[in-house]
Every structure is written in structure tokens, then in C-alpha cells.
Amino acid sequence: MAADDCPAKHTSGRPQLSSMRTSSYLKEHQQYRPPKLSPDNHFGIDTVVEDLQSARISPPKNFSPFNGVPSKDDPPRILEGASHDFTHPNCAPTRGTKSDRLVATLIYKSTSPRTPHVPSPRFPSSNSDIPANLAPTTDIESFPLEPPTAAEPEPLDHLYGSYISPLCITSFLHLMSTFPLPQGVGESTSSHRCLDDPEHPLVVELALSPAPSPSYLSLADLRKHELIYRFEREWNVDVVLQRDTLWRRYPRLVVFDMDSTLITQEVIDLLAASITDPPDLGAKVADITSRAMHGELEFEAAFRERVALLKGLPATIFEQLRPVLNITEGVPELLRALKRLGVKTAVLSGGFVPLTGWLAGELGIDHAYANEVVIDDSGRLTGEVKGRIVGRERKQELLLEIAENEGIALEQVVAVGDGANDLLMLDTAGLGVAWNAKPRVQLEANARLNGESLVDLLYLFGLTSEEVDLLTA
């Protein structure tokens, strides 16, 4: 058969040598070849477009290496444009819905740090790449390399400063993110306010929206959660959780215990200490008082027992004790602020009428209730009590009675106390605050304050230090 009759055979051509010849056949015939880079590298989409050679779509940009830690000289910045959007975490809810915002007030316990005071790491003259307020201690030797072995959590304020640091806030927000949100809610938002000093805050208010799902964890249970308690010990802070309602910002009645709250002492212990015969009477009465305040003894029975030991004291002893009473720091300023705000005040004391009435008059308190002792014709205490003892149940009844007479809803009532005999009163009020309280009271109360000045109570209403200064001036 002639060659003309044979069908034509298709043969692939061999690769030809050219100026683009490479040392690899596979590299020359692969579907994608890396772009040829010009001497001045350019960045953008043109880096992945083939055969553009010297064409340029975007101008070259100079990029400095980023080591993951922003600094004062090289802060994070937007290189190309920005995306703006409106969010409404602090706005009124849409019509037909209700807001569900939780407010967490973090107060640093500056008067009772577990470690020596450490200032915030601001590095005023440091060349560190780490921005101010974002670093732990400048001494790397003091940074823990191993987790603590003891059950007590590692105190972190000695690393990040004796204040509420950004890392403290971040840690709290991370903790709260572990609790499930209400059904149908995809994400939560948060905002913060430094209520005293933005650079070195000791009081920070965080607003979280929405609050954790109440079907999973009620607010009462959330306040007592082990993670919250552990966080407080780690960062040496008090955490007060409240619903962000109108009543939180506008209380109308504040009720106080007297002993170890408005004053730093226990009056009955002062009375017993004035008796020198027998010499151990003062210590005996103080021991009974301590056990009753810790909830180990029934208050009414313990009170009658202690009053019986005071038999024979002259009634003038109450007047003699007036100069001895040590008013808790911040009490006069707090009561002045409450009066300017139009808030009614009351003292419900498990002590005695002569001293409680006198102190209420001195401080300008509107209502005062206490126990009345029996005095014989010779002007001495008989060791008996007249009428009902102002204990757990009676304090609760008096709080309800005062609120009703003043026309005040319980949501706008705040109660402050320290002992087990205050628990019913604290639980009945819209907000019950345990002030430097006994352990049992700390665990059961709605809020805990362990500071030095009772003025801190005003921060729980959302007031700033500027507003507090204005009210207490």
C-alpha cells in the first residue's frame, strides 16, 4: 500500500529549546507555572496572574514584619479600607421585645490584697514592645512557669497589677462565654465602663447582652457559681451580678445592720468589756457573739444569754460608750449621698435602742429599730429584754413594714449586713449586700463587698466616681 493511502499519524512535537528553556521537562509543561517576579515585588491579585510580566495592577506597598505583639511604635492598623456597621448592644430593644442585659460590677479589693501592692505595668520609660496595661510583670522571673499545686488558685493581680487590668476583664468575659445563651441567640455582646479611672481602674462595670440562659442557670445560682467564686479569688475582686433594670439604678430605701456594718464593733461586746468581775466575762460574751454571727447559735437565745450576763450594769453605760463607737469609713458620705438622691434609710439593729437611736440621729437615718433592755428603779440593767428581739425574722418583718409604709416596691430596696441574723433581710430586699461579712453570709447573699469604705455601695447603682464625689461633697 502506498504511503499516500495510509492514514496520517498525529505525532506530538518534541519540546523546543527556547529562551524559556528550563532544566525540567515537567516544570516546562505543567498546567500552572509560578509567576515571574520582577525585581520590585508587588503584592495583590497580580502576583497570581500568569504572564503579566512587568504589568502592574496595584502600586507596590511596603509591609513591615509583624511579630504578633503590637507596640507603641508599630500599633495594629488597617491597611486597606474599613468596614463600618451599626450595632445596638446598648440601645433600647426593638418594639415588642424586652432587653435582657446582665450587669457585672468588678471591684478590686485594694485594702486586702493577698500579695503586696503591685502598680499597673505602664512602662513609662521602657523600650518594651508590649503596650501599656497589656503585659504581666516586667520581671519575667516572677511569672509562674508551672500551675499552682495548692487548691487555692494562683493570685494573678501580683502579675498584672493591683487593679482591674485588661487581662482581668478578658478573663471574666471568657468565663461568662462558657455559659449557654438563650435559645435562638447566636452571639452575645459586651461593653464596659471604668467607673473611677480609665488608666488604672479599681471599679469596672460590664454589660453583657443577653444574660446566660435562665433555663440553664438562674441569676441566684450564677451568683454562687464556683467559677465566679474562683475568679474572685484569682483576681482579688468582688463580682456583683445584677439584672440591668430601672430599679437597679434608682433605689428608694437602703436598710443597714448596725454592729460591724455602720460601726466596726459589736456593742454588746463593748458592754461586756466594761465589766471587770469576773475578768473573763468580756471574752465569754465575745465568743457567744461570734458564734451567733456565724450562724452556729440561734440568735435570739444567744442574745438573751448575753444580756443576762450584763445584769447590774448602770444604764448610763450607753452614754459612756457613745464616744467609743467607731463609725465605718464612708458611712457619713454614703448617707449624705443617699439623702441627696431622695433615698430613705433605716437601721435595724440586734443591739440596743439607746445607742442605735442616738447613732441614727447623728447620721440622719430616717428609721431606727433595736432591742430595749429592762432597767430597774435603781437605774441598772436587770438582764432582761423587753418585747420581741430584733433577730432574723424581726428584721425581715421591719424591712417589709417600712417599705410598705413608705410605698416602696421591694425591687427598689437595698439591704446591707454582715451576720447570719441578717440573711432573711438580705434575701427579702431587691439587692442584699454582704459587707465584710461572715463566710456563710458571703456565700448566700446576692452581692459581696469586702472593701474599706461603704461608699463603694454607690457603684452598684451605676454611679461613677465623678458623680459620687458630687453627691458626697
Side-chain angles (χ1 to χ4, degrees):
M1 181 179 296
D4 300 346
D5 300 328
C6 294
K9 295 182 178 180
H10 176 71
T11 58
S12 60
R14 293 174 62 82
Q16 301 296 319
L17 297 177
S18 68
S19 60
M20 295 180 60
R21 180 182 177 182
T22 67
S23 60
S24 169
Y25 177 88
L26 292 177
K27 180 181 289 187
E28 191 68 286
H29 289 271
Q30 63 186 354
Q31 290 184 342
Y32 169 76
R33 292 194 296 274
K36 305 177 186 67
L37 299 178
S38 57
D40 55 336
N41 295 341
H42 45 81
F43 297 83
I45 189 64
D46 52 327
T47 61
V48 296
V49 177
E50 264 192 282
D51 297 331
L52 284 177
Q53 296 184 357
S54 62
R56 176 173 293 129
I57 295 177
S58 59
K61 298 178 177 63
N62 295 324
F63 284 82
S64 57
F66 181 63
N67 60 3
V69 180
S71 67
K72 290 178 288 188
D73 298 328
D74 188 19
R77 60 185 183 275
I78 299 175
L79 297 176
E80 285 191 11
S83 175
H84 298 278
D85 192 12
F86 286 107
T87 59
H88 307 277
N90 295 316
C91 297
T94 57
R95 294 188 181 277
T97 63
K98 294 183 178 180
S99 60
D100 182 22
R101 190 179 296 117
L102 182 70
V103 170
T105 307
L106 278 58
I107 302 179
Y108 184 75
K109 296 187 284 189
S110 56
T111 58
S112 56
R114 290 184 295 163
T115 56
H117 178 79
V118 179
S120 60
R122 296 178 180 174
F123 310 117
S125 60
S126 173
N127 296 323
S128 172
D129 289 338
I130 304 176
N133 289 344
L134 285 180
T137 174
T138 54
D139 181 13
I140 195 63
E141 298 298 328
S142 64
F143 197 90
L145 301 180
E146 298 292 338
T149 56
E152 187 71 12
E154 171 76 10
L156 298 178
D157 56 322
H158 79 288
L159 296 177
Y160 296 97
S162 300
Y163 73 119
I164 299 178
S165 65
L167 266 298
C168 174
I169 296 175
T170 302
S171 177
F172 181 78
L173 293 176
H174 175 72
L175 182 158
M176 295 302 295
S177 69
T178 62
F179 301 119
L181 298 174
Q183 187 175 5
V185 178
E187 61 180 10
S188 62
T189 61
S190 63
S191 61
H192 86 281
R193 291 196 307 152
C194 297
L195 298 186
D196 54 348
D197 179 2
E199 292 187 1
H200 195 274
L202 298 179
V203 187
V204 173
E205 181 183 275
L206 295 169
L208 297 93
S209 179
S213 173
S215 60
Y216 172 80
L217 201 63
S218 67
L219 179 58
D221 291 334
L222 182 61
R223 286 166 168 161
K224 302 173 185 177
H225 201 282
E226 171 60 24
L227 290 180
I228 300 291
Y229 183 51
R230 183 179 181 87
F231 174 84
E232 289 180 318
R233 288 178 291 163
E234 283 180 340
W235 292 97
N236 195 33
V237 298
D238 287 319
V239 177
V240 180
L241 300 176
Q242 302 179 77
R243 296 285 182 191
D244 189 20
T245 65
L246 181 66
W247 317 129
R248 177 186 78 91
R249 300 188 294 274
Y250 298 100
R252 295 183 58 201
L253 172 64
V254 180
V255 178
F256 298 94
D257 175 40
M258 178 171 162
D259 295 8
S260 297
T261 302
L262 289 180
I263 62 174
T264 61
Q265 310 113 312
E266 294 284 338
V267 168
I268 198 166
D269 294 348
L270 296 177
L271 293 171
S274 65
I275 301 176
T276 57
D277 186 25
D280 62 340
L281 179 63
K284 183 178 180 180
V285 170
D287 177 66
I288 298 174
T289 302
S290 176
R291 293 171 63 192
M293 292 299 100
H294 282 81
E296 299 173 10
L297 299 176
E298 199 272 330
F299 179 82
E300 284 78 1
F303 184 78
R304 292 187 185 278
E305 180 183 356
R306 287 174 291 167
V307 171
L309 296 173
L310 302 179
K311 182 178 180 180
L313 274 179
T316 55
I317 188 65
F318 294 112
E319 294 182 10
Q320 297 171 17
L321 286 180
R322 290 178 182 178
V324 180
L325 297 185
N326 182 32
I327 297 175
T328 302
E329 183 177 337
V331 165
E333 293 82 2
L334 171 62
L335 292 169
R336 190 182 310 130
L338 294 175
K339 187 171 289 293
R340 284 190 170 186
L341 291 172
V343 178
K344 295 292 183 178
T345 53
V347 53
L348 307 181
S349 174
F352 304 93
V353 167
L355 283 175
T356 302
W358 171 80
L359 184 65
E362 290 291 306
L363 296 175
I365 297 175
D366 299 302
H367 304 274
Y369 293 89
N371 298 300
E372 189 173 354
V373 293
V374 179
I375 301 174
D376 61 20
D377 296 337
S378 64
R380 294 184 176 275
L381 277 62
T382 65
E384 299 174 341
V385 183
K386 184 186 302 183
R388 290 185 60 187
I389 292 176
V390 182
R392 290 167 55 99
E393 289 77 13
R394 184 58 179 156
K395 285 190 175 187
Q396 181 189 41
E397 293 173 7
L398 288 170
L399 183 148
L400 293 170
E401 180 182 315
I402 295 171
E404 182 179 1
N405 292 339
E406 296 285 354
I408 299 173
L410 291 179
E411 291 84 358
Q412 291 180 276
V413 177
V414 177
V416 186
D418 74 294
N421 62 324
D422 298 318
L423 281 173
L424 281 180
M425 175 180 76
L426 299 181
D427 186 60
T428 303
L431 178 66
V433 181
W435 169 253
N436 291 323
K438 312 304 183 288
R440 178 184 171 187
V441 184
Q442 296 256 5
L443 290 174
E444 295 191 26
N446 294 336
R448 297 177 286 273
L449 287 180
N450 292 281
E452 192 173 67
S453 173
L454 256 178
V455 170
D456 289 349
L457 184 70
L458 296 173
Y459 292 122
L460 304 188
F461 309 150
L463 299 176
T464 65
S465 60
E466 181 181 22
E467 293 165 335
V468 169
D469 292 342
L470 182 65
L471 290 169
T472 57

